[in-house]
Amino acid sequence: MKKFYLYLNKVDIVKNNGNIFTIYFNENSGKVYYRHKIGTVSQVKHPGIFLGVDAYGTGYFLHNHYHFGKAHITTQSEFANGKPLYIYNDKCSNTPLKVIEIGLNEILRGETYKPITYNCQTYTNTACHNKRKSADVEKWVGGILFGGIALFILGAAFAGGKGK
């Protein structure tokens, strides 16, 4: 994507080759959806932003994925990857049009996918809430820190008991 022109009812995407691709908005445009990540045991949510549909009715999502290497536009079928889609219950701080604008600008910015600091959740939270945050990363990091502290305390307690 080279640039985009945002309107109230659609967005014109200017591809790198100069061709213009139009995606039309509907009642779901700008909403965050998710599917469960494939190959995980912890039901990690993989979110994306519903963009709209083309002239043929094909749905499109904005999302950040390590397979592509950065945030991009993909079809609904590619985003779902054979899994059911669910809407996030968390209401965005930004309007749907602002969510789309920020999401598209993030694509243009071209930041590389990073599992901890710029993943799918970080991308959608940036567009939705203006915050670079990943709930699952925070949960995992918090769990690791809690486990480490617990091991340290247990180790200290057992080491203290050996000296008596």
Side-chain angles (χ1 to χ4, degrees), residues 35-49:
R35 66 166 167 80
H36 292 291
K37 283 198 176 199
I38 297 167
T40 64
V41 294
S42 62
Q43 295 295 319
V44 173
K45 293 177 179 175
H46 177 67
I49 300 162

Side-chain angles (χ1 to χ4, degrees), residues 22-128:
T22 302
I23 298 176
Y24 301 93
F25 301 148
N26 63 26
E27 67 278 358
N28 296 316
S29 296
K31 292 181 181 177
V32 178
Y33 286 78
Y34 72 93
R35 66 166 167 80
H36 292 291
K37 283 198 176 199
I38 297 167
T40 64
V41 294
S42 62
Q43 295 295 319
V44 173
K45 293 177 179 175
H46 177 67
I49 300 162
F50 184 74
L51 182 56
V53 297
D54 65 17
Y56 304 101
T58 302
Y60 288 88
F61 273 81
L62 308 173
H63 85 125
N64 194 12
H65 197 274
Y66 71 91
H67 280 144
F68 193 78
K70 59 185 177 177
H72 64 286
I73 299 171
T74 190
T75 65
Q76 182 171 332
S77 176
E78 289 169 337
F79 174 71
N81 201 8
K83 298 283 188 181
L85 296 179
Y86 307 95
I87 191 156
Y88 256 102
N89 291 328
D90 187 26
K91 184 166 172 26
C92 288
S93 304
N94 291 321
T95 65
L97 197 59
K98 189 67 175 174
V99 170
I100 290 168
E101 180 183 12
I102 293 169
L104 290 169
N105 278 321
E106 285 291 302
I107 289 172
L108 287 176
R109 204 167 61 77
E111 182 174 349
T112 304
Y113 179 96
K114 297 175 194 87
I116 305 294
T117 59
Y118 194 64
N119 58 37
C120 55
Q121 292 178 1
T122 309
Y123 171 73
T124 55
N125 278 320
T126 298
C128 193

